[in-house]
Amino acid sequence: MAETANLKEAVLWESAGGKKVRCKLCNFRCLIDEGNLGHCCVRKNIDGVLYSLNYDKVCAANADPIEKKPLFHFQPGSSSFSIACIGCNFRCSFCQNWQISQAALESGRIDGTSVTPQQIVTAAIHGRCKSIAYTYTEPTIFMELCAETGRFAKQKGLANIFVSNGYMTIEAIDFAKDWLDGINVDLKSFSDDYYRTLCKARLQPVLDTIKYIAHQTNIWMEITTLLVPGQNDSEDELKKVAHFLVTQASPDVPWHISRFIPQYKYLDAHPTPISTIELAERIGKEAGLHYVYPGNVPGSKSESTFCHNCGKLLIERRGYHIAQNLIKDSRCTSCNTLIPGYQL
Ligand code: SF4
């Protein structure tokens, strides 16, 4: 049987002369010789055609609270059917899902269960989920399954969300924007050195993605920054992140400041002090962000949503549990201010 008989041709690539191909899915824009893999190790040039090696190989599937993504202004209190395929285009040394995100790189194995988009959507409906989340690993590099599932999910009345490192190209965002309803983008740092050293990537493409999604699409976006002690938690850097979000995205973009717990190759460090999370929260609010949330800080009052105009408690959270939601038709029930989000 031909090597390609059970493989899915990739989306968003072009011939680059002879049998070379150029992948246009993420900002590595790999130029791939015949027989070779892209940087993500899950896309291969076979005889001058680019194929996805992880299409339909689902390695994780769970019904999660949408708050776990985290998305706090998107169908709050709902479940999101969350799936992943092996692989990632980043090499973050602190990755919390490294067993699946780095498997193709570390072992060359791309394991998973073969499922169809229809089966995924059916499982989501049976699980009473209101959306499908493409998460745990980087969804951009299993875009083929995301697109086919996402289009079918929309027909069945479900929303679609990405939890992403934000490294997709503008072409990839345009490819997804008709069926993608929400996204949480990791803005890991405001330092190119940080991205180069700890993630083996670059900062600027992530900033470009955030600006493009904010101004050129209708995709609801929230941002997450994991604060790694001594790496990206200086007052100066936090001010730069907050200023960027306010001026280049929107004051309405929720910013999740997440507490670091040592993981994977980054074990010689301490968890983020709570005082640093509180500092970032204050900086975000002083910069003008309307919604700043601590992550991995159980019991914090700040994980609830308060109206940015009158301060009324609107969504009371206890971890991933919603104790009460007082938003009506996306408006504050005290002062009638519009609360930004998706189906609030
Ligand atoms: S998805 Fe990104 S890393 Fe993978 S082959 Fe394409 S450009 Fe390279």
Side-chain angles (χ1 to χ4, degrees):
M1 188 186 295
E3 187 184 0
T4 57
N6 294 317
L7 292 181
K8 184 75 162 180
E9 184 176 332
V11 296
L12 295 175
W13 65 278
E14 64 189 10
S15 173
K19 289 197 171 178
K20 285 183 195 291
V21 301
R22 172 85 64 188
C23 179
K24 302 190 288 182
L25 196 50
C26 88
N27 273 294
F28 283 107
R29 295 188 183 271
C30 297
L31 182 62
I32 309 171
D33 283 327
E34 206 280 322
N36 286 356
L37 296 166
H39 176 71
C40 56
C41 301
V42 294
R43 301 170 85 72
K44 185 175 183 181
N45 176 350
I46 301 173
D47 205 21
V49 176
L50 190 62
Y51 289 92
S52 162
L53 303 182
N54 61 354
Y55 173 77
D56 91 346
K57 293 209 174 88
V58 172
C59 64
N62 304 289
D64 284 342
I66 191 90
E67 286 75 18
K68 194 175 178 183
K69 301 300 111 194
L71 284 175
F72 278 16
H73 290 234
F74 193 101
Q75 300 175 327
S78 66
S79 292
S80 187
F81 193 74
S82 304
I83 63 166
C85 297
I86 294 281
C88 190
N89 47 358
F90 276 25
R91 305 279 179 261
C92 302
S93 51
F94 44 77
C95 180
Q96 63 177 356
N97 290 327
W98 61 272
Q99 292 96 334
I100 49 176
S101 72
Q102 303 302 316
L105 174 74
E106 296 214 343
S107 69
R109 295 183 60 129
I110 304 174
D111 294 332
T113 303
S114 180
V115 288
T116 65
Q118 290 74 14
Q119 287 172 320
I120 295 167
V121 172
T122 299
I125 293 168
H126 284 168
R128 298 178 184 278
C129 296
K130 290 178 80 172
S131 62
I132 297 181
Y134 309 88
T135 178
Y136 308 133
T137 60
E138 173 52 42
T140 307
I141 54 92
F142 60 98
M143 184 66 94
E144 292 76 17
L145 184 64
C146 297
E148 291 181 14
T149 308
R151 291 185 189 119
F152 190 60
K154 292 295 279 182
Q155 288 174 19
K156 298 293 180 184
L158 298 177
N160 295 289
I161 61 177
F162 272 14
V163 180
S164 173
N165 58 28
Y167 222 60
M168 65 271 280
T169 57
I170 299 301
E171 297 97 304
I173 299 169
D174 284 343
F175 176 78
K177 66 185 180 186
D178 289 343
W179 46 266
L180 188 62
D181 303 287
I183 187 167
N184 185 301
V185 177
D186 264 354
L187 177 52
K188 295 173 187 287
S189 162
F190 214 72
S191 152
D192 194 50
D193 269 355
Y194 179 102
Y195 269 90
R196 281 174 182 265
T197 307
L198 293 177
C199 309
K200 305 290 182 258
R202 305 295 303 269
L203 168 64
Q204 190 59 48
V206 182
L207 301 181
D208 292 343
T209 290
I210 291 170
K211 284 191 278 188
Y212 191 79
I213 290 174
H215 300 295
Q216 304 295 332
T217 77
N218 292 319
I219 301 167
W220 174 254
M221 179 169 60
E222 305 192 15
I223 302 292
T224 295
T225 304
L226 178 74
L227 293 189
V228 182
Q231 295 289 352
N232 63 351
D233 60 346
S234 71
E235 194 163 335
D236 179 57
E237 184 162 350
L238 294 170
K239 282 180 177 169
K240 284 180 181 161
V241 173
H243 179 74
F244 168 80
L245 294 178
V246 170
T247 59
Q248 303 298 310
S250 162
D252 284 337
V253 170
W255 186 29
H256 300 265
I257 307 148
S258 198
R259 189 168 184 237
F260 164 83
I261 308 291
Q263 300 275 355
Y264 190 32
K265 295 177 178 171
Y266 204 95
L267 298 170
D268 193 18
H270 295 290
T272 317
I274 300 295
S275 58
T276 306
I277 302 289
E278 290 171 347
L279 171 70
E281 192 182 335
R282 181 169 55 75
I283 286 171
K285 293 209 171 133
E286 285 176 0
L289 287 171
H290 291 155
Y291 301 95
V292 185
Y293 299 107
N296 298 334
V297 186
S300 169
K301 187 179 166 214
S302 301
E303 65 187 357
S304 292
T305 296
F306 297 84
C307 175
H308 68 267
N309 182 50
C310 73
K312 179 183 172 69
L313 173 63
L314 292 174
I315 303 176
E316 184 180 358
R317 293 188 183 82
R318 294 180 195 146
Y320 300 136
H321 173 68
I322 303 286
Q324 59 174 339
N325 179 358
L326 299 175
I327 297 174
K328 287 276 182 298
D329 299 327
S330 297
R331 291 197 175 269
C332 171
T333 37
S334 178
C335 70
N336 207 38
T337 291
L338 189 67
I339 308 299
Y342 181 92
Q343 294 182 359
L344 292 179

